Amino acid sequence: MRIAIAADHAAVSLKTVLAAWLADIGHEVIDLGTHGDGRVDYPDYGFAVATALADGRADRGVALCGSGVGISIAANRHPACRCALVSEPLSAALARHHNDANAIALGARLIGEEMAKACITAFLSAEFEGGRHQHRVDKLSKEFAA
């Protein structure tokens, strides 16, 4: 599977570990940065993951920042991205099963390496159930009027 991964400065260390691990287990990893600990803006990296999903370079995405909150919001600004902030494997699997999430966000300051790997494993191994969930997922790409 082709996996886009990106992080801001707060999560660059976790991104480096996860990117190497994903490659070691046979995935094609598209590392979208950042590559150092100099201060950067998480919206740029969340949008980079979303763009890689939208243009077909990646099948799934992993977005990382300190809490996971900011980068998930940024990724979800792109209508082609359904990024779920997760902190444990059940939520990661349900994000795929019920929401057809194509990306997950993790908070590097809140989650350890092994839990991050467990979340990614659950996310990548789960499939969208469709059915009763499909019409809800279809609404996620539409603009809501007040």
Side-chain angles (χ1 to χ4, degrees):
M1 191 175 299
R2 295 169 301 152
I3 302 169
I5 190 167
D8 72 354
H9 57 279
V12 70
S13 295
L14 181 59
K15 178 191 66 84
T16 301
V17 168
L18 295 175
W21 168 72
L22 285 164
D24 286 346
I25 62 172
H27 296 288
E28 178 184 337
V29 178
I30 304 161
D31 186 338
L32 301 170
T34 192
H35 302 290
D37 59 4
R39 186 170 301 274
V40 296
D41 298 326
Y42 61 81
D44 298 333
Y45 295 91
F47 202 74
V49 169
T51 301
L53 291 165
D55 67 21
R57 284 180 289 147
D59 303 307
R60 298 283 183 272
V62 176
L64 307 154
C65 70
S67 67
V69 175
I71 204 161
S72 67
I73 293 169
N76 282 318
R77 299 289 295 169
H78 196 299
C81 189
R82 291 175 304 282
C83 183
L85 173 59
V86 302
S87 59
E88 40 68 39
L90 180 58
S91 294
L94 289 173
R96 285 286 307 134
H97 290 312
H98 294 181
N99 309 114
D100 198 19
N102 54 7
I104 58 171
L106 302 165
R109 293 180 177 147
L110 306 174
I111 193 169
E113 290 176 12
E114 294 310 309
M115 183 59 74
K117 289 176 183 178
C119 289
I120 293 170
T121 298
F123 173 68
L124 295 178
S125 63
E127 293 296 330
F128 179 49
E129 293 177 358
R132 66 187 173 96
H133 304 290
Q134 186 63 59
H135 79 279
R136 296 172 185 140
V137 171
D138 292 342
K139 289 182 177 184
L140 295 176
S141 295
K142 295 181 182 177
E143 290 188 31
F144 287 92

